[in-house]
Amino acid sequence: MSGQDRTSWYRRLYQRLLGESTEQPDIIQLHERRPAEVVAEPDDVVSLNGPAESERAVEDCRVLLGQGRRVAVTWDGGPEHGSVMAQGEVRLTFDDTVWIWLDQELPESSRPRAGQALQVLAPRPDALRLIPCRLVEPSNGGSLQVAISGRASRLQRREDVRALVDMPPISAVRLGLTGRPQGLLGVRVVDLSAGGIRMQTDEMLRAGQRLRLVLRLDDGDPITPTVEVLVPGTTAQGRFDPLGEVERRRVVQFVYKQEVAARRRARDENEAEQLAD
């Protein structure tokens, strides 16, 4: 999905949640290889001030998810369904637990599991807010009971180009709270930009977990960016700590070359199909 398409998607959802659009709410299922593509690109998420565990952060989320507010909820439906998104209204908030009544009943196969991570999107005057949550109890299809699990972030379009990449598996170092290494992890990069990464692993990554990656982009020395997981799972999304200008330029150039190569392959395949016909 292009940056322009995603910006338009954000705007339509934003207007719909604010009641400024007559579009009918729906359930959206996305391609399984990009399980949260239009919801939480790492480059689009801007942290708000305040520590994650502060009372203020929890209070702000309660305000965002107050009774009667329109919201969207998204979660990973697994390889068969990809990402699933539904819209609804907050009916009740108690401490950090929120009850959301959905506009449409979810098919049983698309319902999230108890304990599963979800993202709730709530509109504010300046932009959408993303609030990480977990499902408290199994859904009956018409509603979701979720618990706030982290601080709110602002969704804001960035200019970094993201592209699917073809890279060998890479190594990542798990980092503890103090930044000390805690073992190695194998990672397959799905897509990449100068602001963040989508990656697949054999184990579940948690929101807030930090990794140091070893990225070999060209004939030069590898770069070792640190990434914070924003969207958890075995297909996870993360945001890079700020890169130096030289490293950032190398990532941008690598992504551009990968995109050009992908377009060339698609053109060659199309020409081969036409010749075969």
Side-chain angles (χ1 to χ4, degrees), residues 157-195:
R157 282 295 302 125
R158 298 292 184 89
E159 298 303 322
D160 290 323
V161 175
R162 174 174 300 278
L164 294 170
V165 295
D166 183 15
M167 299 177 65
I170 65 172
S171 297
V173 179
R174 301 184 192 87
L175 300 177
L177 295 177
T178 61
R180 296 185 61 181
Q182 294 186 331
L184 291 175
L185 176 68
V187 170
R188 189 179 77 81
V189 180
V190 177
D191 61 31
L192 182 68
S193 79

PDB file of all heavy atoms in Angstrom, residues 157-195:
ATOM      1  N   ARG A 157       1.584  10.367   9.822  1.00  0.00           N
ATOM      2  CA  ARG A 157       2.261   9.926   8.611  1.00  0.00           C
ATOM      3  C   ARG A 157       3.680  10.472   8.536  1.00  0.00           C
ATOM      4  O   ARG A 157       3.936  11.630   8.776  1.00  0.00           O
ATOM      5  CB  ARG A 157       1.490  10.390   7.370  1.00  0.00           C
ATOM      6  CG  ARG A 157       0.273   9.545   7.083  1.00  0.00           C
ATOM      7  CD  ARG A 157       0.633   8.116   6.715  1.00  0.00           C
ATOM      8  NE  ARG A 157       1.505   8.082   5.563  1.00  0.00           N
ATOM      9  CZ  ARG A 157       2.673   7.472   5.544  1.00  0.00           C
ATOM     10  NH1 ARG A 157       3.115   6.834   6.591  1.00  0.00           N
ATOM     11  NH2 ARG A 157       3.413   7.484   4.454  1.00  0.00           N
ATOM     12  N   ARG A 158       4.603   9.609   8.177  1.00  0.00           N
ATOM     13  CA  ARG A 158       5.984  10.006   7.956  1.00  0.00           C
ATOM     14  C   ARG A 158       6.322   9.840   6.477  1.00  0.00           C
ATOM     15  O   ARG A 158       5.564   9.267   5.713  1.00  0.00           O
ATOM     16  CB  ARG A 158       6.920   9.148   8.815  1.00  0.00           C
ATOM     17  CG  ARG A 158       6.693   9.305  10.317  1.00  0.00           C
ATOM     18  CD  ARG A 158       7.101  10.676  10.789  1.00  0.00           C
ATOM     19  NE  ARG A 158       6.983  10.796  12.241  1.00  0.00           N
ATOM     20  CZ  ARG A 158       7.961  10.492  13.083  1.00  0.00           C
ATOM     21  NH1 ARG A 158       9.100  10.027  12.640  1.00  0.00           N
ATOM     22  NH2 ARG A 158       7.788  10.660  14.381  1.00  0.00           N
ATOM     23  N   GLU A 159       7.490  10.290   6.085  1.00  0.00           N
ATOM     24  CA  GLU A 159       7.864  10.271   4.674  1.00  0.00           C
ATOM     25  C   GLU A 159       8.749   9.090   4.303  1.00  0.00           C
ATOM     26  O   GLU A 159       9.084   8.935   3.138  1.00  0.00           O
ATOM     27  CB  GLU A 159       8.593  11.581   4.328  1.00  0.00           C
ATOM     28  CG  GLU A 159       7.725  12.822   4.531  1.00  0.00           C
ATOM     29  CD  GLU A 159       6.432  12.759   3.730  1.00  0.00           C
ATOM     30  OE1 GLU A 159       6.471  12.261   2.591  1.00  0.00           O
ATOM     31  OE2 GLU A 159       5.402  13.190   4.252  1.00  0.00           O
ATOM     32  N   ASP A 160       9.185   8.282   5.256  1.00  0.00           N
ATOM     33  CA  ASP A 160      10.081   7.172   4.938  1.00  0.00           C
ATOM     34  C   ASP A 160       9.383   6.151   4.053  1.00  0.00           C
ATOM     35  O   ASP A 160       8.258   5.734   4.335  1.00  0.00           O
ATOM     36  CB  ASP A 160      10.549   6.478   6.228  1.00  0.00           C
ATOM     37  CG  ASP A 160      11.491   7.350   7.027  1.00  0.00           C
ATOM     38  OD1 ASP A 160      12.300   8.054   6.403  1.00  0.00           O
ATOM     39  OD2 ASP A 160      11.413   7.332   8.268  1.00  0.00           O
ATOM     40  N   VAL A 161      10.059   5.755   2.997  1.00  0.00           N
ATOM     41  CA  VAL A 161       9.516   4.754   2.087  1.00  0.00           C
ATOM     42  C   VAL A 161       9.762   3.367   2.669  1.00  0.00           C
ATOM     43  O   VAL A 161      10.844   3.059   3.140  1.00  0.00           O
ATOM     44  CB  VAL A 161      10.178   4.879   0.700  1.00  0.00           C
ATOM     45  CG1 VAL A 161       9.702   3.753  -0.218  1.00  0.00           C
ATOM     46  CG2 VAL A 161       9.855   6.237   0.091  1.00  0.00           C
ATOM     47  N   ARG A 162       8.741   2.526   2.616  1.00  0.00           N
ATOM     48  CA  ARG A 162       8.845   1.159   3.126  1.00  0.00           C
ATOM     49  C   ARG A 162       8.713   0.199   1.953  1.00  0.00           C
ATOM     50  O   ARG A 162       7.919   0.422   1.050  1.00  0.00           O
ATOM     51  CB  ARG A 162       7.735   0.908   4.144  1.00  0.00           C
ATOM     52  CG  ARG A 162       7.648  -0.536   4.638  1.00  0.00           C
ATOM     53  CD  ARG A 162       6.629  -0.648   5.743  1.00  0.00           C
ATOM     54  NE  ARG A 162       7.031   0.221   6.846  1.00  0.00           N
ATOM     55  CZ  ARG A 162       7.922  -0.118   7.770  1.00  0.00           C
ATOM     56  NH1 ARG A 162       8.505  -1.298   7.722  1.00  0.00           N
ATOM     57  NH2 ARG A 162       8.245   0.704   8.731  1.00  0.00           N
ATOM     58  N   ALA A 163       9.479  -0.859   1.969  1.00  0.00           N
ATOM     59  CA  ALA A 163       9.418  -1.822   0.867  1.00  0.00           C
ATOM     60  C   ALA A 163       9.677  -3.222   1.394  1.00  0.00           C
ATOM     61  O   ALA A 163      10.421  -3.420   2.363  1.00  0.00           O
ATOM     62  CB  ALA A 163      10.447  -1.474  -0.204  1.00  0.00           C
ATOM     63  N   LEU A 164       9.047  -4.205   0.742  1.00  0.00           N
ATOM     64  CA  LEU A 164       9.385  -5.598   0.996  1.00  0.00           C
ATOM     65  C   LEU A 164      10.837  -5.820   0.589  1.00  0.00           C
ATOM     66  O   LEU A 164      11.285  -5.271  -0.427  1.00  0.00           O
ATOM     67  CB  LEU A 164       8.474  -6.525   0.197  1.00  0.00           C
ATOM     68  CG  LEU A 164       6.991  -6.517   0.567  1.00  0.00           C
ATOM     69  CD1 LEU A 164       6.196  -7.301  -0.460  1.00  0.00           C
ATOM     70  CD2 LEU A 164       6.778  -7.099   1.957  1.00  0.00           C
ATOM     71  N   VAL A 165      11.562  -6.597   1.363  1.00  0.00           N
ATOM     72  CA  VAL A 165      12.977  -6.803   1.065  1.00  0.00           C
ATOM     73  C   VAL A 165      13.293  -8.291   0.999  1.00  0.00           C
ATOM     74  O   VAL A 165      12.609  -9.115   1.617  1.00  0.00           O
ATOM     75  CB  VAL A 165      13.887  -6.124   2.119  1.00  0.00           C
ATOM     76  CG1 VAL A 165      13.713  -4.612   2.077  1.00  0.00           C
ATOM     77  CG2 VAL A 165      13.603  -6.649   3.516  1.00  0.00           C
ATOM     78  N   ASP A 166      14.323  -8.592   0.237  1.00  0.00           N
ATOM     79  CA  ASP A 166      14.801  -9.969   0.090  1.00  0.00           C
ATOM     80  C   ASP A 166      16.172 -10.050   0.737  1.00  0.00           C
ATOM     81  O   ASP A 166      17.170  -9.630   0.147  1.00  0.00           O
ATOM     82  CB  ASP A 166      14.864 -10.340  -1.387  1.00  0.00           C
ATOM     83  CG  ASP A 166      15.294 -11.787  -1.603  1.00  0.00           C
ATOM     84  OD1 ASP A 166      15.272 -12.562  -0.627  1.00  0.00           O
ATOM     85  OD2 ASP A 166      15.667 -12.123  -2.747  1.00  0.00           O
ATOM     86  N   MET A 167      16.230 -10.564   1.957  1.00  0.00           N
ATOM     87  CA  MET A 167      17.478 -10.632   2.714  1.00  0.00           C
ATOM     88  C   MET A 167      17.601 -12.001   3.363  1.00  0.00           C
ATOM     89  O   MET A 167      16.597 -12.613   3.744  1.00  0.00           O
ATOM     90  CB  MET A 167      17.501  -9.564   3.819  1.00  0.00           C
ATOM     91  CG  MET A 167      17.420  -8.131   3.342  1.00  0.00           C
ATOM     92  SD  MET A 167      17.356  -6.960   4.734  1.00  0.00           S
ATOM     93  CE  MET A 167      18.982  -7.218   5.469  1.00  0.00           C
ATOM     94  N   PRO A 168      18.818 -12.493   3.526  1.00  0.00           N
ATOM     95  CA  PRO A 168      19.008 -13.723   4.299  1.00  0.00           C
ATOM     96  C   PRO A 168      18.583 -13.486   5.747  1.00  0.00           C
ATOM     97  O   PRO A 168      18.522 -12.335   6.207  1.00  0.00           O
ATOM     98  CB  PRO A 168      20.513 -13.983   4.199  1.00  0.00           C
ATOM     99  CG  PRO A 168      20.995 -13.130   3.089  1.00  0.00           C
ATOM    100  CD  PRO A 168      20.091 -11.956   3.015  1.00  0.00           C
ATOM    101  N   PRO A 169      18.280 -14.544   6.490  1.00  0.00           N
ATOM    102  CA  PRO A 169      17.984 -14.374   7.915  1.00  0.00           C
ATOM    103  C   PRO A 169      19.115 -13.653   8.625  1.00  0.00           C
ATOM    104  O   PRO A 169      20.287 -13.803   8.265  1.00  0.00           O
ATOM    105  CB  PRO A 169      17.830 -15.815   8.419  1.00  0.00           C
ATOM    106  CG  PRO A 169      17.440 -16.597   7.203  1.00  0.00           C
ATOM    107  CD  PRO A 169      18.167 -15.943   6.058  1.00  0.00           C
ATOM    108  N   ILE A 170      18.764 -12.854   9.616  1.00  0.00           N
ATOM    109  CA  ILE A 170      19.761 -12.070  10.347  1.00  0.00           C
ATOM    110  C   ILE A 170      19.714 -12.434  11.820  1.00  0.00           C
ATOM    111  O   ILE A 170      18.806 -13.137  12.283  1.00  0.00           O
ATOM    112  CB  ILE A 170      19.531 -10.559  10.177  1.00  0.00           C
ATOM    113  CG1 ILE A 170      18.187 -10.160  10.824  1.00  0.00           C
ATOM    114  CG2 ILE A 170      19.553 -10.163   8.706  1.00  0.00           C
ATOM    115  CD1 ILE A 170      17.958  -8.668  10.868  1.00  0.00           C
ATOM    116  N   SER A 171      20.700 -11.939  12.548  1.00  0.00           N
ATOM    117  CA  SER A 171      20.764 -12.165  13.996  1.00  0.00           C
ATOM    118  C   SER A 171      20.328 -10.913  14.730  1.00  0.00           C
ATOM    119  O   SER A 171      20.559  -9.793  14.276  1.00  0.00           O
ATOM    120  CB  SER A 171      22.191 -12.529  14.426  1.00  0.00           C
ATOM    121  OG  SER A 171      22.596 -13.740  13.836  1.00  0.00           O
ATOM    122  N   ALA A 172      19.684 -11.124  15.869  1.00  0.00           N
ATOM    123  CA  ALA A 172      19.282 -10.023  16.740  1.00  0.00           C
ATOM    124  C   ALA A 172      19.695 -10.370  18.166  1.00  0.00           C
ATOM    125  O   ALA A 172      19.660 -11.534  18.571  1.00  0.00           O
ATOM    126  CB  ALA A 172      17.778  -9.790  16.669  1.00  0.00           C
ATOM    127  N   VAL A 173      20.078  -9.355  18.909  1.00  0.00           N
ATOM    128  CA  VAL A 173      20.444  -9.516  20.312  1.00  0.00           C
ATOM    129  C   VAL A 173      19.305  -8.985  21.172  1.00  0.00           C
ATOM    130  O   VAL A 173      18.897  -7.826  21.017  1.00  0.00           O
ATOM    131  CB  VAL A 173      21.742  -8.754  20.644  1.00  0.00           C
ATOM    132  CG1 VAL A 173      22.093  -8.917  22.119  1.00  0.00           C
ATOM    133  CG2 VAL A 173      22.882  -9.248  19.761  1.00  0.00           C
ATOM    134  N   ARG A 174      18.772  -9.833  22.036  1.00  0.00           N
ATOM    135  CA  ARG A 174      17.764  -9.349  22.987  1.00  0.00           C
ATOM    136  C   ARG A 174      18.438  -8.436  24.002  1.00  0.00           C
ATOM    137  O   ARG A 174      19.505  -8.750  24.525  1.00  0.00           O
ATOM    138  CB  ARG A 174      17.109 -10.517  23.727  1.00  0.00           C
ATOM    139  CG  ARG A 174      16.414 -11.537  22.856  1.00  0.00           C
ATOM    140  CD  ARG A 174      15.747 -12.571  23.755  1.00  0.00           C
ATOM    141  NE  ARG A 174      15.286 -13.727  23.017  1.00  0.00           N
ATOM    142  CZ  ARG A 174      16.024 -14.788  22.739  1.00  0.00           C
ATOM    143  NH1 ARG A 174      17.291 -14.823  23.149  1.00  0.00           N
ATOM    144  NH2 ARG A 174      15.533 -15.812  22.080  1.00  0.00           N
ATOM    145  N   LEU A 175      17.779  -7.321  24.312  1.00  0.00           N
ATOM    146  CA  LEU A 175      18.321  -6.379  25.282  1.00  0.00           C
ATOM    147  C   LEU A 175      17.423  -6.322  26.515  1.00  0.00           C
ATOM    148  O   LEU A 175      16.196  -6.261  26.396  1.00  0.00           O
ATOM    149  CB  LEU A 175      18.426  -4.973  24.668  1.00  0.00           C
ATOM    150  CG  LEU A 175      19.322  -4.849  23.427  1.00  0.00           C
ATOM    151  CD1 LEU A 175      19.262  -3.435  22.886  1.00  0.00           C
ATOM    152  CD2 LEU A 175      20.755  -5.248  23.747  1.00  0.00           C
ATOM    153  N   GLY A 176      18.037  -6.334  27.692  1.00  0.00           N
ATOM    154  CA  GLY A 176      17.287  -6.207  28.933  1.00  0.00           C
ATOM    155  C   GLY A 176      16.922  -4.763  29.200  1.00  0.00           C
ATOM    156  O   GLY A 176      17.211  -3.854  28.418  1.00  0.00           O
ATOM    157  N   LEU A 177      16.289  -4.526  30.353  1.00  0.00           N
ATOM    158  CA  LEU A 177      15.845  -3.179  30.708  1.00  0.00           C
ATOM    159  C   LEU A 177      17.011  -2.212  30.821  1.00  0.00           C
ATOM    160  O   LEU A 177      16.871  -1.010  30.567  1.00  0.00           O
ATOM    161  CB  LEU A 177      15.061  -3.215  32.020  1.00  0.00           C
ATOM    162  CG  LEU A 177      13.733  -3.992  31.980  1.00  0.00           C
ATOM    163  CD1 LEU A 177      13.095  -4.015  33.361  1.00  0.00           C
ATOM    164  CD2 LEU A 177      12.784  -3.379  30.958  1.00  0.00           C
ATOM    165  N   THR A 178      18.178  -2.724  31.199  1.00  0.00           N
ATOM    166  CA  THR A 178      19.353  -1.862  31.336  1.00  0.00           C
ATOM    167  C   THR A 178      20.178  -1.799  30.057  1.00  0.00           C
ATOM    168  O   THR A 178      21.217  -1.145  30.023  1.00  0.00           O
ATOM    169  CB  THR A 178      20.248  -2.366  32.484  1.00  0.00           C
ATOM    170  OG1 THR A 178      20.695  -3.696  32.178  1.00  0.00           O
ATOM    171  CG2 THR A 178      19.475  -2.383  33.796  1.00  0.00           C
ATOM    172  N   GLY A 179      19.716  -2.482  29.006  1.00  0.00           N
ATOM    173  CA  GLY A 179      20.445  -2.489  27.750  1.00  0.00           C
ATOM    174  C   GLY A 179      21.470  -3.599  27.637  1.00  0.00           C
ATOM    175  O   GLY A 179      22.175  -3.674  26.628  1.00  0.00           O
ATOM    176  N   ARG A 180      21.562  -4.477  28.639  1.00  0.00           N
ATOM    177  CA  ARG A 180      22.533  -5.567  28.588  1.00  0.00           C
ATOM    178  C   ARG A 180      22.028  -6.694  27.691  1.00  0.00           C
ATOM    179  O   ARG A 180      20.837  -7.017  27.671  1.00  0.00           O
ATOM    180  CB  ARG A 180      22.801  -6.113  29.986  1.00  0.00           C
ATOM    181  CG  ARG A 180      23.439  -5.100  30.925  1.00  0.00           C
ATOM    182  CD  ARG A 180      23.793  -5.741  32.253  1.00  0.00           C
ATOM    183  NE  ARG A 180      24.766  -6.820  32.077  1.00  0.00           N
ATOM    184  CZ  ARG A 180      25.228  -7.563  33.078  1.00  0.00           C
ATOM    185  NH1 ARG A 180      24.799  -7.349  34.316  1.00  0.00           N
ATOM    186  NH2 ARG A 180      26.110  -8.516  32.852  1.00  0.00           N
ATOM    187  N   PRO A 181      22.910  -7.332  26.907  1.00  0.00           N
ATOM    188  CA  PRO A 181      22.515  -8.434  26.031  1.00  0.00           C
ATOM    189  C   PRO A 181      21.943  -9.609  26.836  1.00  0.00           C
ATOM    190  O   PRO A 181      22.451  -9.944  27.909  1.00  0.00           O
ATOM    191  CB  PRO A 181      23.826  -8.820  25.337  1.00  0.00           C
ATOM    192  CG  PRO A 181      24.697  -7.621  25.464  1.00  0.00           C
ATOM    193  CD  PRO A 181      24.341  -6.985  26.769  1.00  0.00           C
ATOM    194  N   GLN A 182      20.917 -10.242  26.263  1.00  0.00           N
ATOM    195  CA  GLN A 182      20.282 -11.387  26.929  1.00  0.00           C
ATOM    196  C   GLN A 182      20.074 -12.543  25.970  1.00  0.00           C
ATOM    197  O   GLN A 182      19.095 -13.269  26.069  1.00  0.00           O
ATOM    198  CB  GLN A 182      18.955 -10.964  27.553  1.00  0.00           C
ATOM    199  CG  GLN A 182      19.085  -9.970  28.695  1.00  0.00           C
ATOM    200  CD  GLN A 182      17.766  -9.697  29.383  1.00  0.00           C
ATOM    201  OE1 GLN A 182      16.691  -9.786  28.773  1.00  0.00           O
ATOM    202  NE2 GLN A 182      17.819  -9.349  30.647  1.00  0.00           N
ATOM    203  N   GLY A 183      20.976 -12.715  25.034  1.00  0.00           N
ATOM    204  CA  GLY A 183      20.880 -13.856  24.132  1.00  0.00           C
ATOM    205  C   GLY A 183      20.565 -13.447  22.713  1.00  0.00           C
ATOM    206  O   GLY A 183      20.194 -12.305  22.423  1.00  0.00           O
ATOM    207  N   LEU A 184      20.710 -14.420  21.794  1.00  0.00           N
ATOM    208  CA  LEU A 184      20.508 -14.179  20.371  1.00  0.00           C
ATOM    209  C   LEU A 184      19.149 -14.695  19.909  1.00  0.00           C
ATOM    210  O   LEU A 184      18.577 -15.612  20.504  1.00  0.00           O
ATOM    211  CB  LEU A 184      21.609 -14.858  19.561  1.00  0.00           C
ATOM    212  CG  LEU A 184      23.018 -14.271  19.683  1.00  0.00           C
ATOM    213  CD1 LEU A 184      24.007 -15.138  18.910  1.00  0.00           C
ATOM    214  CD2 LEU A 184      23.053 -12.832  19.192  1.00  0.00           C
ATOM    215  N   LEU A 185      18.678 -14.112  18.821  1.00  0.00           N
ATOM    216  CA  LEU A 185      17.397 -14.480  18.239  1.00  0.00           C
ATOM    217  C   LEU A 185      17.524 -14.413  16.723  1.00  0.00           C
ATOM    218  O   LEU A 185      18.092 -13.458  16.184  1.00  0.00           O
ATOM    219  CB  LEU A 185      16.305 -13.512  18.719  1.00  0.00           C
ATOM    220  CG  LEU A 185      14.903 -13.668  18.135  1.00  0.00           C
ATOM    221  CD1 LEU A 185      14.268 -14.965  18.619  1.00  0.00           C
ATOM    222  CD2 LEU A 185      14.044 -12.470  18.528  1.00  0.00           C
ATOM    223  N   GLY A 186      17.021 -15.427  16.016  1.00  0.00           N
ATOM    224  CA  GLY A 186      17.011 -15.397  14.556  1.00  0.00           C
ATOM    225  C   GLY A 186      15.824 -14.601  14.046  1.00  0.00           C
ATOM    226  O   GLY A 186      14.710 -14.735  14.551  1.00  0.00           O
ATOM    227  N   VAL A 187      16.053 -13.777  13.024  1.00  0.00           N
ATOM    228  CA  VAL A 187      15.018 -12.875  12.512  1.00  0.00           C
ATOM    229  C   VAL A 187      15.022 -12.916  10.991  1.00  0.00           C
ATOM    230  O   VAL A 187      16.076 -12.957  10.361  1.00  0.00           O
ATOM    231  CB  VAL A 187      15.269 -11.418  12.982  1.00  0.00           C
ATOM    232  CG1 VAL A 187      14.343 -10.440  12.265  1.00  0.00           C
ATOM    233  CG2 VAL A 187      15.099 -11.304  14.485  1.00  0.00           C
ATOM    234  N   ARG A 188      13.836 -12.920  10.406  1.00  0.00           N
ATOM    235  CA  ARG A 188      13.701 -12.742   8.957  1.00  0.00           C
ATOM    236  C   ARG A 188      13.027 -11.404   8.704  1.00  0.00           C
ATOM    237  O   ARG A 188      11.931 -11.151   9.208  1.00  0.00           O
ATOM    238  CB  ARG A 188      12.875 -13.860   8.322  1.00  0.00           C
ATOM    239  CG  ARG A 188      12.897 -13.814   6.792  1.00  0.00           C
ATOM    240  CD  ARG A 188      12.100 -14.930   6.175  1.00  0.00           C
ATOM    241  NE  ARG A 188      10.668 -14.679   6.243  1.00  0.00           N
ATOM    242  CZ  ARG A 188      10.010 -13.891   5.378  1.00  0.00           C
ATOM    243  NH1 ARG A 188      10.674 -13.258   4.423  1.00  0.00           N
ATOM    244  NH2 ARG A 188       8.720 -13.737   5.480  1.00  0.00           N
ATOM    245  N   VAL A 189      13.682 -10.545   7.948  1.00  0.00           N
ATOM    246  CA  VAL A 189      13.144  -9.221   7.661  1.00  0.00           C
ATOM    247  C   VAL A 189      12.083  -9.335   6.568  1.00  0.00           C
ATOM    248  O   VAL A 189      12.331  -9.891   5.500  1.00  0.00           O
ATOM    249  CB  VAL A 189      14.249  -8.251   7.210  1.00  0.00           C
ATOM    250  CG1 VAL A 189      13.663  -6.872   6.916  1.00  0.00           C
ATOM    251  CG2 VAL A 189      15.336  -8.160   8.281  1.00  0.00           C
ATOM    252  N   VAL A 190      10.887  -8.815   6.848  1.00  0.00           N
ATOM    253  CA  VAL A 190       9.803  -8.817   5.860  1.00  0.00           C
ATOM    254  C   VAL A 190       9.825  -7.530   5.055  1.00  0.00           C
ATOM    255  O   VAL A 190       9.801  -7.548   3.829  1.00  0.00           O
ATOM    256  CB  VAL A 190       8.431  -8.995   6.543  1.00  0.00           C
ATOM    257  CG1 VAL A 190       7.305  -8.927   5.514  1.00  0.00           C
ATOM    258  CG2 VAL A 190       8.383 -10.305   7.313  1.00  0.00           C
ATOM    259  N   ASP A 191       9.826  -6.391   5.728  1.00  0.00           N
ATOM    260  CA  ASP A 191       9.989  -5.125   5.034  1.00  0.00           C
ATOM    261  C   ASP A 191      10.746  -4.154   5.915  1.00  0.00           C
ATOM    262  O   ASP A 191      10.947  -4.385   7.110  1.00  0.00           O
ATOM    263  CB  ASP A 191       8.661  -4.557   4.523  1.00  0.00           C
ATOM    264  CG  ASP A 191       7.661  -4.267   5.631  1.00  0.00           C
ATOM    265  OD1 ASP A 191       8.079  -3.941   6.752  1.00  0.00           O
ATOM    266  OD2 ASP A 191       6.456  -4.344   5.371  1.00  0.00           O
ATOM    267  N   LEU A 192      11.173  -3.048   5.293  1.00  0.00           N
ATOM    268  CA  LEU A 192      12.149  -2.185   5.945  1.00  0.00           C
ATOM    269  C   LEU A 192      11.964  -0.755   5.475  1.00  0.00           C
ATOM    270  O   LEU A 192      11.570  -0.505   4.329  1.00  0.00           O
ATOM    271  CB  LEU A 192      13.560  -2.674   5.585  1.00  0.00           C
ATOM    272  CG  LEU A 192      14.775  -1.970   6.176  1.00  0.00           C
ATOM    273  CD1 LEU A 192      14.847  -2.212   7.677  1.00  0.00           C
ATOM    274  CD2 LEU A 192      16.050  -2.492   5.500  1.00  0.00           C
ATOM    275  N   SER A 193      12.240   0.188   6.360  1.00  0.00           N
ATOM    276  CA  SER A 193      12.352   1.600   5.999  1.00  0.00           C
ATOM    277  C   SER A 193      13.405   2.211   6.903  1.00  0.00           C
ATOM    278  O   SER A 193      13.927   1.555   7.807  1.00  0.00           O
ATOM    279  CB  SER A 193      11.015   2.329   6.164  1.00  0.00           C
ATOM    280  OG  SER A 193      10.775   2.637   7.524  1.00  0.00           O
ATOM    281  N   ALA A 194      13.694   3.491   6.696  1.00  0.00           N
ATOM    282  CA  ALA A 194      14.663   4.160   7.552  1.00  0.00           C
ATOM    283  C   ALA A 194      14.111   4.398   8.949  1.00  0.00           C
ATOM    284  O   ALA A 194      14.862   4.746   9.858  1.00  0.00           O
ATOM    285  CB  ALA A 194      15.089   5.490   6.928  1.00  0.00           C
ATOM    286  N   GLY A 195      12.817   4.202   9.124  1.00  0.00           N
ATOM    287  CA  GLY A 195      12.226   4.427  10.441  1.00  0.00           C
ATOM    288  C   GLY A 195      11.915   3.170  11.218  1.00  0.00           C
ATOM    289  O   GLY A 195      11.770   3.213  12.441  1.00  0.00           O
TER     290      GLY A 195
END
